[in-house]
Amino acid sequence: MQTFLEFEKPIAELEGKIEELRHLTNAGDINIADEVAKLQTKVDKLLRQTYAKLTPGQKVQVARHPNRPHCLDYVQGLIEDFTPLAGDRFFAEDRAVIGGLGRFRGRSVVVIGQEKGHDTESRVRHNFGMAKPEGYRKAQRLMDLADRFKLPVLSLVDTAGAFPGVQAEERGQAEAIASSIARCLRLNVPMVASVIGEGGSGGAIAIAAADRVLMLEHAIYSVITPEGCASILWRSPDMAGEAAIALRLISHDLKELGVIDRIIQEPIGGAQRDPAGTVKALGDAIEQSLREMDGLDSATLRAKRREKFLEMGQKGLG
Amino acid sequence: MNWLTNYVRPKIRALYARKEVPDNLWHKCPSCEAMLFHRELEENLHVCQHCGFHMRLDPIKRLQSIFDDGAYDGVELPKSVADPLKFRDQKRYTDRLKEAQVKTGRTDAIVVGNGLIGGLSAVVAVFDFGFMGGSMGIAVGEGLLTAAKLAVAKKAPLIVVPASGGARMQEGILSLMQMPRTTIAVEMVKEAGLPYIVVLTDPTTGGVTASFAMLGDIHIAEKGAQIGFAGARVIEGTIRETLPEGFQRSEYLLEHGMVDMVVHRRDLRDTLVRVIDLLTQPVRSEIEVVDADFEEAPVSNAVVVTTASASQPGAGDD
Ligand SMILES: [Zn+2]
């Protein structure tokens, strides 16, 4: 079932009409096929118009759209022989972080990604994509593995943020994130991070201090959720839309700031309208990114990765 | 008497006699509400002499309290892009910056000094919580990178004293990028084989804790400091858990293995002197004259004897 966002209401109404027409057996004078085609053209036009000028606040909604492909959809669509690996070897297995070995277009790779889940049961199982310290320690362990066997690391970022809880604090959430960032930066193998939905703060950068950072067109990447920012700076969570604008969390701005390297165009109407196409498009971009780094030795990789992050913030938005 | 006595008595008293505030001024301790004489409070490094409550310390006073004889060279920090996102909430970020600059007399929330600690060269970077809550944006990141590079150039340890609410929201994603950038700064120091010591003070939270502040070779926490990743209110709000007694305080972090020791501010300098000496002077010069035949064993014995006479790291004292 398609979920519609608030701003998609006119589109939803048109598509509702199309559905109705399709279920009509006796339409009298009108030609159903013609009517449907006409309405479909309208829908396409409206979708294109709407999605061409999404506000940052609307992008936040699209980035969190429940029907958007999630980490496991990309794993399923892009990784052959996926072999999930579990546990941080210290405390627990964190199902907010998917990890494992697999083959991506011929290359053996290590996959690390945040999974939000797609229904109540799976959301709870994956803790809504909010990792605890054990998730970030699992990520580090998998990066160790990648280094040892010289396998590229592909990370998929989709989290509102690291889990804020008493036990997460007790087990060193901050230390786990800090060490995970340091681990990314020390990798001797190429790392491609992809922001597929929500790139939420420290919880995201922990697995995104990568050689290449890719981002889906309507994904967001921010230091704080717009709601959190609004309640602090505007003292009202209702101002999240304003905060979303001010934070410059959309792919276009992040590209200009040099924080991300490549934007992956989404299908008209967003990734949720063509998950398979989106998965393939991201796969192509990841493959391209890996090719760019083929043949680079580990010292060069590390030096260039550092350089890239050190250059960030030298210029602002025009 | 051991060699430490040469260094442990800084002439702080003399240096603190700057007459900016009249001596007859009184302060109320925020913890026990005792009325404290201004001059006495200064002499006590802003620790309440009645209840031991550690108030926030001005960064310059902090530097003076750490370096030998309170003397150090201020390090000039590079100018960085101000307001890269042209951010505005209810106020313009540029206005907030100006206010903070006027209030503190500093360009941003970090001060770096270079001098001697226990006779050994060291670089110290201190956060100013009074400058927009010590939040970390590009300027702070640059400050830490400058401090790290200077430490490497001088072959000196790097000591960082954070006091920060976390990332500077008004710099959006670029403030998040200071997490990997400051992690790189730390890595530079570590790769050069130099000690990196973090002195966690009240408060150290958010993206600051989840990056350079949790990557120290040694973590020293001041008594009673709030140290954590997620804010207590966020945790209460999301999880609806009641927070345990002393949650996110230094002593709690010690209990959970996140810091090496909790120290009283008056013991901080001695602790730093001792730790730096132990990490960087593997063989004391006074015992290098040991008979060559017994070089191995007597040296290690002598070291044990020497350090045993120094006071133990004060994890549980007071
Ligand atoms: Zn008191």
Side-chain angles (χ1 to χ4, degrees):
Chain A
M1 203 195 80
Q2 182 74 30
T3 307
F4 289 97
L5 301 169
E6 183 62 32
F7 66 86
E8 293 177 318
K9 226 171 158 188
I11 297 159
E13 276 163 16
L14 285 174
E15 290 194 327
K17 267 189 205 158
I18 293 175
E19 274 306 291
E20 268 173 43
L21 281 172
R22 281 194 174 130
H23 286 92
L24 274 183
T25 42
N26 183 3
D29 293 343
I30 55 166
N31 182 330
I32 294 178
D34 278 1
E35 268 309 297
V36 168
K38 229 192 275 174
L39 284 172
Q40 193 58 54
T41 313
K42 255 186 161 174
V43 166
D44 291 348
K45 195 180 161 199
L46 199 53
L47 265 180
R48 195 170 298 120
Q49 283 173 346
T50 308
Y51 272 77
K53 50 179 175 58
L54 289 179
T55 65
Q58 289 168 337
K59 291 221 186 211
V60 173
Q61 297 173 49
V62 176
R64 295 172 180 165
H65 199 292
N67 299 129
R68 219 177 147 78
H70 288 157
C71 172
L72 283 171
D73 298 309
Y74 290 95
V75 169
Q76 199 180 17
L78 296 174
I79 310 294
E80 289 170 63
D81 293 337
F82 183 63
T83 306
L85 300 173
D88 67 346
R89 299 297 187 269
F90 289 113
F91 180 76
E93 155 69 348
D94 187 341
R95 291 187 183 81
V97 176
I98 302 299
L101 291 166
R103 201 163 285 280
F104 169 72
R105 300 191 179 176
R107 300 170 196 252
S108 185
V109 295
V110 164
V111 179
I112 300 168
Q114 291 148 338
E115 171 61 44
K116 284 185 167 181
H118 60 272
D119 55 18
T120 308
E121 193 256 317
S122 61
R123 282 184 196 123
V124 170
R125 180 157 25 99
H126 296 292
N127 198 30
F128 303 85
M130 294 189 286
K132 295 174 184 168
E134 40 277 21
Y136 295 111
R137 293 189 178 121
K138 172 180 170 181
Q140 291 170 54
R141 186 200 133 216
L142 294 176
M143 288 189 258
D144 290 344
L145 186 74
D147 253 351
R148 216 165 103 60
F149 294 95
K150 301 190 170 52
L151 309 177
V153 177
L154 308 185
S155 74
L156 297 161
V157 178
D158 195 9
T159 184
F163 184 69
V166 170
Q167 284 166 15
E169 294 287 316
E170 285 179 350
R171 293 196 294 272
Q173 185 69 288
E175 188 280 336
I177 292 171
S179 295
S180 191
I181 295 171
R183 190 65 194 86
C184 292
L185 292 167
R186 267 203 317 272
L187 272 175
N188 288 313
V189 292
M191 178 176 191
V192 180
S194 305
V195 184
I196 55 173
E198 212 176 349
S201 196
I205 188 66
I207 59 164
D211 301 292
R212 295 287 189 283
V213 181
L214 317 182
M215 187 166 171
L216 290 192
E217 187 184 357
H218 304 311
I220 57 165
Y221 191 7
S222 179
V223 66
I224 184 169
T225 60
E227 293 83 357
C229 180
S231 46
I232 298 170
L233 293 182
W234 279 266
R235 300 183 193 285
S236 157
D238 301 339
M239 297 299 283
E242 292 298 310
I245 296 169
L247 284 166
R248 307 291 197 134
L249 41 66
I250 64 173
S251 59
H252 178 81
D253 287 341
L254 300 178
K255 177 82 168 37
E256 195 181 329
L257 288 167
V259 169
I260 61 161
D261 301 288
R262 188 172 304 198
I263 299 172
I264 289 94
Q265 294 297 312
E266 292 191 26
I268 290 163
Q272 69 275 14
R273 287 200 167 245
D274 180 11
T278 308
V279 169
K280 188 189 172 294
L282 181 64
D284 293 346
I286 293 173
E287 188 180 357
Q288 175 66 35
S289 296
L290 286 175
R291 285 220 176 119
E292 288 163 9
M293 291 183 278
D294 274 341
L296 294 183
D297 63 79
S298 58
T300 309
L301 273 172
R302 282 200 316 268
K304 279 177 174 283
R305 193 183 301 134
R306 253 186 202 190
E307 221 172 276
K308 169 192 147 105
F309 280 93
L310 290 180
E311 274 169 19
M312 282 178 198
Q314 305 294 322
K315 65 172 176 66
L317 291 171
Chain B
M1 283 294 117
N2 61 63
W3 59 275
L4 273 172
T5 30
N6 298 331
Y7 302 118
V8 274
R9 305 234 168 270
K11 294 160 194 151
I12 293 169
R13 198 169 299 235
L15 281 146
Y16 277 56
R18 293 182 307 167
K19 294 279 192 296
E20 287 165 8
V21 188
D23 272 355
N24 58 1
L25 200 80
W26 293 83
H27 297 269
K28 194 186 203 178
C29 170
S31 177
C32 73
E33 302 199 333
M35 294 308 288
L36 307 168
F37 208 29
H38 179 75
R39 204 188 55 229
E40 278 172 7
L41 194 59
E42 293 267 287
E43 283 168 0
N44 283 315
L45 299 171
H46 289 252
V47 176
C48 172
Q49 59 263 54
H50 299 284
C51 71
F53 181 79
H54 284 50
M55 298 170 212
R56 287 185 188 129
L57 189 62
D58 173 84
I60 301 299
K61 285 177 188 157
R62 170 72 69 182
L63 287 169
Q64 290 170 341
S65 76
I66 290 176
F67 284 112
D68 293 355
D69 301 326
Y72 66 92
D73 293 324
V75 176
E76 200 180 325
L77 302 179
K79 237 179 117 67
S80 54
V81 181
D83 193 19
L85 306 186
K86 308 203 183 342
F87 191 100
R88 91 172 285 169
D89 44 76
Q90 287 166 309
K91 250 186 204 173
R92 281 176 199 283
Y93 174 40
T94 46
D95 291 340
R96 284 188 195 268
L97 266 179
K98 261 178 231 145
E99 270 171 42
Q101 286 165 347
V102 168
K103 183 179 131 196
T104 61
R106 273 179 263 290
T107 49
D108 215 293
I110 196 164
V111 185
V112 179
N114 153 45
L116 299 176
I117 299 178
L120 300 169
S121 176
V123 177
V124 182
V126 180
F127 278 61
D128 182 1
F129 189 79
F131 194 107
M132 296 188 75
S135 54
M136 176 165 73
I138 299 166
V140 167
E142 288 297 325
L144 286 170
L145 278 158
T146 303
K149 286 175 193 162
L150 183 65
V152 172
K154 291 194 160 287
K155 297 189 172 62
L158 174 66
I159 299 164
V160 180
V161 188
S164 170
R168 173 100 34 103
M169 267 178 295
Q170 292 88 345
E171 293 185 22
I173 197 79
L174 292 175
S175 68
L176 187 70
M177 291 304 125
Q178 302 315 309
M179 293 171 72
R181 295 179 92 246
T182 57
T183 301
I184 292 169
V186 168
E187 295 279 306
M188 288 173 177
V189 174
K190 289 185 175 176
E191 278 167 17
L194 301 163
Y196 167 54
I197 301 168
V198 187
V199 177
L200 299 136
T201 70
D202 187 63
T204 302
T205 60
V208 164
T209 323
S211 57
F212 69 89
M214 274 291 137
L215 295 172
D217 292 307
I218 309 280
H219 291 172
I220 302 172
E222 273 199 339
K223 282 172 77 75
Q226 190 203 347
I227 305 160
F229 175 65
R233 249 182 302 160
V234 175
I235 296 172
E236 277 178 319
T238 334
I239 317 306
R240 315 210 182 284
E241 288 179 57
T242 1
L243 302 178
E245 179 91 9
F247 181 62
Q248 290 186 331
R249 294 287 156 190
S250 300
E251 298 72 12
Y252 180 94
L253 268 88
L254 180 71
E255 212 49 47
H256 287 92
M258 293 301 144
V259 299
D260 292 290
M261 59 191 98
V262 178
V263 299
H264 191 288
R265 192 173 287 159
R266 66 161 180 264
D267 300 325
L268 176 62
R269 189 187 124 81
D270 289 9
T271 308
L272 288 171
V273 168
R274 186 170 62 245
V275 167
I276 292 170
D277 179 76
L278 288 169
L279 289 175
T280 62
Q281 312 294 309
V283 180
R284 288 223 56 81
S285 51
E286 69 221 48
I287 47 179
E288 274 173 3
V289 287
V290 169
D291 192 323
D293 289 348
F294 297 98
E295 206 160 12
E296 294 297 321
V299 167
S300 57
N301 282 341
V303 170
V304 171
V305 170
T306 312
T307 51
S309 62
S311 69
Q312 288 299 305
D317 69 1
D318 283 57

